[in-house]
Amino acid sequence: MKKITGLLFCCCYCSIVFAQTFHLPKPKGSAKTPFTKAFVKLLNEAPHQFKKYKGKLLTGKDDLHLGSVIFKSKLQLEGSTRGRLVSDSTHYMEFFYGDYATLDEATNKMDDLTQQVQTALGNNAYFHHYPIDSNGTVVQQTKIAFTRANGFFHFNISLQLVHLQNQQYRILLQVYHGRPIFYRKIFFKPVSSFLFVNEMHKNLEILHKNRSKTCPVEMVGFYCDGKTVTRDSAITRYTTETIDNELSATMRFDIVLTNLQVSLNTDYVYYELPTVLPYKKRYAFIKIADIEKRKRPSVILSMVQNTTTNDITKTFNILMHFATAK
Protein backbone atom coordinates (compact mmCIF):
# COMPACT_ATOMS: atom_id res chain seq x y z
CA MET A 1 0.00 0.00 0.00
CA LYS A 2 2.92 2.36 0.62
CA LYS A 3 3.93 2.04 -3.03
CA ILE A 4 0.42 2.93 -4.17
CA THR A 5 0.19 5.88 -1.82
CA GLY A 6 3.59 7.12 -2.89
CA LEU A 7 2.49 7.14 -6.52
CA LEU A 8 -0.83 8.82 -5.88
CA PHE A 9 0.72 11.53 -3.74
CA CYS A 10 3.93 11.80 -5.78
CA CYS A 11 6.42 14.59 -5.25
CA CYS A 12 6.29 17.64 -7.47
CA TYR A 13 9.58 16.87 -9.18
CA CYS A 14 10.38 13.69 -11.06
CA SER A 15 13.21 12.35 -13.21
CA ILE A 16 10.78 10.84 -15.71
CA VAL A 17 10.15 12.76 -18.93
CA PHE A 18 6.50 13.80 -19.13
CA ALA A 19 4.47 15.10 -22.05
CA GLN A 20 6.38 18.39 -22.07
CA THR A 21 10.14 18.79 -21.74
CA PHE A 22 11.35 21.52 -19.41
CA HIS A 23 13.82 23.60 -21.40
CA LEU A 24 13.93 27.36 -21.86
CA PRO A 25 15.13 29.00 -25.09
CA LYS A 26 17.99 31.50 -25.01
CA PRO A 27 16.84 35.12 -24.63
CA LYS A 28 16.91 37.19 -27.82
CA GLY A 29 16.86 40.86 -28.75
CA SER A 30 16.18 43.30 -25.93
CA ALA A 31 15.49 40.38 -23.57
CA LYS A 32 19.13 39.29 -23.83
CA THR A 33 20.77 40.75 -20.73
CA PRO A 34 23.48 39.41 -18.38
CA PHE A 35 20.76 38.45 -15.89
CA THR A 36 18.42 36.72 -18.34
CA LYS A 37 21.24 34.76 -20.02
CA ALA A 38 22.57 33.45 -16.70
CA PHE A 39 19.09 32.79 -15.30
CA VAL A 40 18.04 30.68 -18.29
CA LYS A 41 21.28 28.68 -18.01
CA LEU A 42 20.50 28.08 -14.34
CA LEU A 43 16.93 26.91 -15.00
CA ASN A 44 18.04 24.53 -17.75
CA GLU A 45 20.50 22.97 -15.31
CA ALA A 46 17.74 22.38 -12.70
CA PRO A 47 16.95 18.81 -13.91
CA HIS A 48 20.60 17.91 -13.19
CA GLN A 49 20.68 19.20 -9.58
CA PHE A 50 22.83 22.17 -10.66
CA LYS A 51 25.95 19.96 -10.65
CA LYS A 52 27.52 22.18 -13.31
CA TYR A 53 27.45 25.16 -10.92
CA LYS A 54 28.28 23.39 -7.66
CA GLY A 55 31.28 25.04 -6.01
CA LYS A 56 33.29 24.41 -2.85
CA LEU A 57 31.67 23.21 0.35
CA LEU A 58 31.07 26.02 2.85
CA THR A 59 31.92 25.19 6.46
CA GLY A 60 30.52 26.67 9.63
CA LYS A 61 27.02 27.36 10.91
CA ASP A 62 24.56 29.01 8.53
CA ASP A 63 22.14 31.57 9.96
CA LEU A 64 19.29 30.73 7.55
CA HIS A 65 19.51 26.98 6.94
CA LEU A 66 20.42 25.11 10.10
CA GLY A 67 21.58 21.59 9.34
CA SER A 68 21.77 22.07 5.56
CA VAL A 69 24.86 21.34 3.48
CA ILE A 70 25.81 24.47 1.54
CA PHE A 71 28.14 24.96 -1.42
CA LYS A 72 29.36 28.05 -3.23
CA SER A 73 27.82 28.81 -6.60
CA LYS A 74 30.00 28.93 -9.69
CA LEU A 75 27.28 30.93 -11.43
CA GLN A 76 26.57 34.50 -10.39
CA LEU A 77 23.33 36.25 -11.29
CA GLU A 78 23.64 39.92 -12.14
CA GLY A 79 22.68 42.13 -9.20
CA SER A 80 23.03 39.44 -6.54
CA THR A 81 25.48 39.92 -3.70
CA ARG A 82 26.15 36.18 -3.35
CA GLY A 83 24.83 32.81 -4.41
CA ARG A 84 25.00 29.27 -3.07
CA LEU A 85 23.66 25.76 -3.53
CA VAL A 86 21.64 24.53 -0.55
CA SER A 87 21.29 20.78 -0.11
CA ASP A 88 18.97 19.14 2.44
CA SER A 89 15.74 17.31 1.60
CA THR A 90 15.97 18.94 -1.80
CA HIS A 91 18.50 20.99 -3.76
CA TYR A 92 18.10 24.63 -4.69
CA MET A 93 20.18 27.60 -5.74
CA GLU A 94 19.74 30.67 -3.58
CA PHE A 95 20.80 34.22 -4.45
CA PHE A 96 20.84 37.25 -2.16
CA TYR A 97 19.61 40.54 -3.58
CA GLY A 98 20.55 42.88 -0.78
CA ASP A 99 19.29 44.09 2.60
CA TYR A 100 17.08 47.18 2.78
CA ALA A 101 16.26 49.58 5.58
CA THR A 102 12.60 50.09 4.63
CA LEU A 103 9.83 47.88 3.31
CA ASP A 104 9.20 50.28 0.40
CA GLU A 105 12.81 49.98 -0.80
CA ALA A 106 12.68 46.19 -0.56
CA THR A 107 9.30 45.98 -2.31
CA ASN A 108 10.52 48.15 -5.20
CA LYS A 109 13.57 45.93 -5.64
CA MET A 110 11.43 42.79 -5.50
CA ASP A 111 9.13 44.19 -8.19
CA ASP A 112 12.14 44.96 -10.38
CA LEU A 113 13.55 41.45 -9.88
CA THR A 114 10.14 39.92 -10.65
CA GLN A 115 10.09 41.76 -13.97
CA GLN A 116 13.59 40.49 -14.82
CA VAL A 117 12.48 36.92 -14.16
CA GLN A 118 9.41 37.50 -16.32
CA THR A 119 11.64 38.72 -19.16
CA ALA A 120 13.99 35.72 -18.79
CA LEU A 121 10.98 33.40 -19.16
CA GLY A 122 10.02 35.11 -22.40
CA ASN A 123 6.97 36.65 -20.69
CA ASN A 124 5.68 33.11 -20.18
CA ALA A 125 5.39 33.23 -16.40
CA TYR A 126 2.63 32.17 -14.03
CA PHE A 127 2.77 33.91 -10.63
CA HIS A 128 1.24 32.64 -7.41
CA HIS A 129 1.41 34.96 -4.40
CA TYR A 130 1.43 33.39 -0.96
CA PRO A 131 0.42 34.95 2.37
CA ILE A 132 3.09 35.55 5.01
CA ASP A 133 4.18 32.58 7.11
CA SER A 134 3.10 32.02 10.70
CA ASN A 135 6.28 33.21 12.42
CA GLY A 136 6.30 36.51 10.58
CA THR A 137 9.80 36.34 9.07
CA VAL A 138 8.59 36.09 5.45
CA VAL A 139 6.79 39.31 4.53
CA GLN A 140 6.11 38.39 0.89
CA GLN A 141 6.53 35.20 -1.10
CA THR A 142 5.89 34.66 -4.80
CA LYS A 143 6.22 31.32 -6.59
CA ILE A 144 6.80 31.42 -10.36
CA ALA A 145 6.18 28.80 -13.03
CA PHE A 146 7.19 28.61 -16.70
CA THR A 147 4.12 28.36 -18.96
CA ARG A 148 3.56 26.70 -22.31
CA ALA A 149 0.59 26.84 -24.69
CA ASN A 150 -1.94 24.71 -22.79
CA GLY A 151 -0.43 24.61 -19.32
CA PHE A 152 2.48 25.31 -17.01
CA PHE A 153 5.32 23.54 -15.24
CA HIS A 154 5.38 23.10 -11.48
CA PHE A 155 6.50 26.22 -9.58
CA ASN A 156 10.28 25.95 -9.25
CA ILE A 157 11.19 29.62 -8.76
CA SER A 158 10.62 31.47 -5.51
CA LEU A 159 11.04 35.12 -4.55
CA GLN A 160 11.02 35.91 -0.84
CA LEU A 161 11.10 39.16 1.08
CA VAL A 162 12.34 38.34 4.58
CA HIS A 163 12.19 40.50 7.72
CA LEU A 164 15.49 40.10 9.60
CA GLN A 165 16.11 40.31 13.35
CA ASN A 166 18.02 43.57 12.82
CA GLN A 167 14.75 45.02 11.38
CA GLN A 168 16.11 45.17 7.84
CA TYR A 169 14.51 43.44 4.85
CA ARG A 170 16.29 40.89 2.65
CA ILE A 171 15.35 39.62 -0.81
CA LEU A 172 16.08 36.01 -1.76
CA LEU A 173 15.72 34.36 -5.18
CA GLN A 174 15.55 30.55 -5.13
CA VAL A 175 15.50 28.03 -7.99
CA TYR A 176 14.67 24.41 -7.15
CA HIS A 177 16.18 21.33 -8.77
CA GLY A 178 14.34 18.65 -10.71
CA ARG A 179 12.31 18.17 -13.85
CA PRO A 180 9.01 19.91 -13.04
CA ILE A 181 5.74 18.16 -13.75
CA PHE A 182 3.76 19.75 -16.57
CA TYR A 183 0.19 20.63 -15.59
CA ARG A 184 -2.41 20.91 -18.32
CA LYS A 185 -5.02 23.60 -17.85
CA ILE A 186 -8.71 22.83 -18.22
CA PHE A 187 -10.56 25.21 -20.52
CA PHE A 188 -13.96 23.53 -20.46
CA LYS A 189 -16.82 25.04 -18.51
CA PRO A 190 -19.30 22.77 -16.69
CA VAL A 191 -22.24 21.54 -18.75
CA SER A 192 -25.09 21.02 -16.32
CA SER A 193 -27.03 18.73 -18.66
CA PHE A 194 -24.40 15.96 -18.41
CA LEU A 195 -25.44 13.30 -15.90
CA PHE A 196 -21.76 12.49 -15.20
CA VAL A 197 -21.04 16.18 -14.54
CA ASN A 198 -23.99 16.54 -12.18
CA GLU A 199 -22.96 13.46 -10.22
CA MET A 200 -19.35 14.61 -9.99
CA HIS A 201 -20.31 18.05 -8.72
CA LYS A 202 -22.71 16.62 -6.18
CA ASN A 203 -20.44 13.84 -4.91
CA LEU A 204 -16.82 15.04 -5.20
CA GLU A 205 -16.62 16.50 -1.70
CA ILE A 206 -18.28 13.39 -0.26
CA LEU A 207 -15.79 11.14 -2.07
CA HIS A 208 -12.82 13.09 -0.71
CA LYS A 209 -14.08 13.53 2.85
CA ASN A 210 -15.80 10.18 3.46
CA ARG A 211 -13.97 8.26 6.20
CA SER A 212 -16.00 5.04 6.12
CA LYS A 213 -14.63 1.85 4.60
CA THR A 214 -17.32 1.67 1.91
CA CYS A 215 -18.00 3.59 -1.30
CA PRO A 216 -20.32 6.47 -0.37
CA VAL A 217 -21.99 6.97 -3.79
CA GLU A 218 -22.51 5.39 -7.20
CA MET A 219 -20.96 6.88 -10.37
CA VAL A 220 -22.66 6.57 -13.78
CA GLY A 221 -20.83 4.15 -16.08
CA PHE A 222 -18.77 2.70 -13.20
CA TYR A 223 -19.30 0.28 -10.38
CA CYS A 224 -17.69 0.54 -6.96
CA ASP A 225 -14.62 -1.65 -6.53
CA GLY A 226 -14.20 -0.94 -2.83
CA LYS A 227 -12.29 1.42 -0.61
CA THR A 228 -8.89 1.21 1.03
CA VAL A 229 -8.24 3.17 4.23
CA THR A 230 -4.73 3.31 5.66
CA ARG A 231 -3.10 5.37 8.38
CA ASP A 232 -2.36 8.26 6.01
CA SER A 233 -4.72 7.91 3.05
CA ALA A 234 -8.13 6.85 1.79
CA ILE A 235 -8.71 5.62 -1.77
CA THR A 236 -12.17 4.99 -3.19
CA ARG A 237 -12.05 2.85 -6.34
CA TYR A 238 -14.43 2.71 -9.30
CA THR A 239 -14.08 0.65 -12.49
CA THR A 240 -15.93 0.00 -15.73
CA GLU A 241 -17.07 -3.36 -17.03
CA THR A 242 -14.31 -5.24 -18.88
CA ILE A 243 -13.68 -3.97 -22.41
CA ASP A 244 -12.72 -6.54 -25.06
CA ASN A 245 -10.24 -4.61 -27.21
CA GLU A 246 -7.72 -1.80 -26.90
CA LEU A 247 -9.31 0.53 -29.46
CA SER A 248 -12.65 0.51 -27.66
CA ALA A 249 -10.91 0.92 -24.29
CA THR A 250 -8.90 3.90 -25.60
CA MET A 251 -12.04 5.57 -26.94
CA ARG A 252 -13.83 4.99 -23.63
CA PHE A 253 -10.85 6.34 -21.70
CA ASP A 254 -10.76 9.51 -23.82
CA ILE A 255 -14.48 10.08 -23.27
CA VAL A 256 -14.13 9.75 -19.49
CA LEU A 257 -11.05 12.01 -19.55
CA THR A 258 -13.08 14.71 -21.35
CA ASN A 259 -15.99 14.25 -18.96
CA LEU A 260 -13.67 14.74 -16.00
CA GLN A 261 -12.29 17.93 -17.53
CA VAL A 262 -15.79 19.26 -18.02
CA SER A 263 -16.80 18.20 -14.51
CA LEU A 264 -13.81 19.59 -12.60
CA ASN A 265 -13.43 22.74 -14.78
CA THR A 266 -10.88 25.53 -14.39
CA ASP A 267 -10.33 25.06 -10.64
CA TYR A 268 -8.33 21.93 -11.53
CA VAL A 269 -5.32 20.96 -13.62
CA TYR A 270 -4.26 17.48 -14.69
CA TYR A 271 -0.97 15.80 -15.47
CA GLU A 272 0.31 12.55 -16.90
CA LEU A 273 1.56 9.87 -14.53
CA PRO A 274 4.34 7.44 -15.54
CA THR A 275 3.03 4.06 -16.69
CA VAL A 276 4.27 0.48 -16.65
CA LEU A 277 2.12 -2.55 -17.43
CA PRO A 278 -0.62 -3.23 -16.57
CA TYR A 279 -1.21 0.54 -16.83
CA LYS A 280 -1.50 1.90 -20.38
CA LYS A 281 -2.54 5.46 -19.56
CA ARG A 282 -2.77 7.44 -16.30
CA TYR A 283 -3.74 11.00 -15.45
CA ALA A 284 -4.13 12.77 -12.12
CA PHE A 285 -6.45 15.73 -11.49
CA ILE A 286 -5.72 18.14 -8.63
CA LYS A 287 -6.93 21.56 -7.58
CA ILE A 288 -4.67 24.44 -8.58
CA ALA A 289 -4.86 25.64 -4.97
CA ASP A 290 -3.38 22.29 -3.80
CA ILE A 291 -0.37 22.20 -6.15
CA GLU A 292 2.18 23.11 -3.47
CA LYS A 293 0.84 20.58 -0.98
CA ARG A 294 2.89 17.42 -0.57
CA LYS A 295 -0.29 15.36 -0.13
CA ARG A 296 -3.23 16.62 -2.10
CA PRO A 297 -6.69 15.19 -2.90
CA SER A 298 -6.54 13.66 -6.38
CA VAL A 299 -8.75 12.01 -8.96
CA ILE A 300 -6.71 9.33 -10.76
CA LEU A 301 -7.95 8.05 -14.13
CA SER A 302 -6.25 4.90 -15.50
CA MET A 303 -6.55 2.49 -18.40
CA VAL A 304 -5.45 -0.99 -17.35
CA GLN A 305 -4.58 -4.04 -19.44
CA ASN A 306 -5.76 -7.15 -17.66
CA THR A 307 -3.42 -10.08 -17.10
CA THR A 308 -4.13 -13.01 -19.42
CA THR A 309 -2.44 -16.21 -20.45
CA ASN A 310 -3.45 -15.58 -24.07
CA ASP A 311 -1.10 -13.12 -25.80
CA ILE A 312 -3.59 -12.52 -28.62
CA THR A 313 -6.72 -11.71 -26.62
CA LYS A 314 -6.40 -8.72 -24.30
CA THR A 315 -9.04 -7.08 -22.15
CA PHE A 316 -9.06 -3.70 -20.48
CA ASN A 317 -10.71 -1.69 -17.72
CA ILE A 318 -11.01 2.02 -17.03
CA LEU A 319 -10.35 2.85 -13.37
CA MET A 320 -11.26 6.01 -11.51
CA HIS A 321 -9.75 6.46 -8.04
CA PHE A 322 -10.50 9.22 -5.54
CA ALA A 323 -7.44 9.58 -3.29
CA THR A 324 -7.33 11.71 -0.15
CA ALA A 325 -4.57 12.19 2.41
CA LYS A 326 -5.70 11.77 6.01
Side-chain angles (χ1 to χ4, degrees):
M1 188 59 216
K2 289 182 179 179
K3 291 183 179 179
I4 295 175
T5 305
L7 179 58
L8 293 175
F9 301 116
C10 61
C11 294
C12 298
Y13 302 100
C14 186
S15 61
I16 298 171
V17 178
F18 289 87
Q20 295 280 354
T21 301
F22 183 79
H23 184 83
L24 276 72
K26 294 180 180 180
K28 296 180 180 179
S30 60
K32 190 176 181 180
T33 67
F35 175 88
T36 58
K37 288 191 295 183
F39 192 69
V40 168
K41 287 180 180 178
L42 181 67
L43 281 172
N44 287 337
E45 187 62 20
H48 311 293
Q49 297 186 1
F50 309 111
K51 292 179 181 178
K52 186 175 179 180
Y53 303 123
K54 183 178 179 179
K56 293 182 179 179
L57 175 67
L58 294 176
T59 58
K61 185 178 179 180
D62 184 77
D63 57 346
L64 286 180
H65 307 293
L66 301 175
S68 299
V69 180
I70 300 175
F71 303 86
K72 286 185 177 180
S73 171
K74 293 181 179 180
L75 179 72
Q76 191 69 21
L77 293 181
E78 184 187 42
S80 65
T81 56
R82 59 178 166 139
R84 69 250 194 100
L85 171 61
V86 181
S87 179
D88 41 41
S89 58
T90 184
H91 308 277
Y92 58 95
M93 299 291 288
E94 182 174 66
F95 296 87
F96 292 70
Y97 274 85
D99 294 347
Y100 302 87
T102 68
L103 181 58
D104 284 344
E105 288 180 290
T107 301
N108 289 336
K109 179 59 182 178
M110 191 167 178
D111 290 343
D112 176 66
L113 189 55
T114 300
Q115 184 55 53
Q116 290 187 69
V117 172
Q118 170 80 291
T119 301
L121 298 181
N123 293 317
N124 296 311
Y126 177 29
F127 296 90
H128 189 82
H129 303 286
Y130 286 80
I132 61 174
D133 67 359
S134 58
N135 63 21
T137 59
V138 179
V139 179
Q140 292 182 29
Q141 181 172 230
T142 300
K143 294 288 183 75
I144 307 172
F146 177 51
T147 67
R148 279 213 178 131
N150 63 336
F152 59 94
F153 291 92
H154 187 86
F155 299 98
N156 66 342
I157 304 165
S158 175
L159 275 169
Q160 291 185 350
L161 198 163
V162 181
H163 194 196
L164 303 174
Q165 289 186 350
N166 63 7
Q167 301 307 310
Q168 289 194 317
Y169 297 90
R170 176 174 295 169
I171 293 175
L172 300 173
L173 171 61
Q174 299 165 342
V175 179
Y176 291 85
H177 92 284
R179 190 185 307 280
I181 287 174
F182 183 75
Y183 300 106
R184 303 182 189 192
K185 291 182 179 178
I186 297 176
F187 299 99
F188 294 105
K189 291 186 177 180
V191 180
S192 58
S193 60
F194 282 8
L195 180 59
F196 184 94
V197 174
N198 289 337
E199 287 195 350
M200 187 64 69
H201 282 175
K202 182 173 64 177
N203 297 320
L204 187 59
E205 185 174 358
I206 297 173
L207 286 161
H208 279 317
K209 290 188 176 181
N210 176 50
R211 289 293 178 262
S212 70
K213 293 187 178 180
T214 61
C215 295
V217 297
E218 297 296 324
M219 296 297 296
V220 62
F222 291 80
Y223 67 88
C224 180
D225 195 29
K227 182 171 182 178
T228 302
V229 179
T230 67
R231 186 180 62 181
D232 60 356
S233 67
I235 301 171
T236 307
R237 305 185 302 275
Y238 291 85
T239 184
T240 61
E241 298 290 343
T242 299
I243 304 169
D244 291 335
N245 62 81
E246 187 166 358
L247 178 60
S248 297
T250 300
M251 292 175 63
R252 178 70 181 276
F253 180 89
D254 291 341
I255 290 171
V256 177
L257 179 64
T258 300
N259 284 341
L260 275 175
Q261 292 176 56
V262 173
S263 300
L264 300 175
N265 68 67
T266 55
D267 289 338
Y268 282 74
V269 291
Y270 66 106
Y271 59 98
E272 189 175 355
L273 290 170
T275 56
V276 293
L277 286 176
Y279 294 103
K280 301 287 287 186
K281 292 183 176 183
R282 298 199 87 186
Y283 287 95
F285 289 78
I286 60 170
K287 273 190 174 183
I288 294 176
D290 292 337
I291 280 179
E292 288 288 87
K293 295 179 181 178
R294 178 175 172 80
K295 295 181 178 181
R296 55 259 181 117
S298 307
V299 182
I300 314 294
L301 181 67
S302 309
M303 175 176 157
V304 175
Q305 177 180 311
N306 297 317
T307 304
T308 176
T309 55
N310 188 332
D311 292 334
I312 298 175
T313 304
K314 298 176 182 178
T315 62
F316 301 84
N317 285 90
I318 309 301
L319 310 181
M320 191 163 54
H321 291 173
F322 297 84
T324 307
K326 294 176 64 178

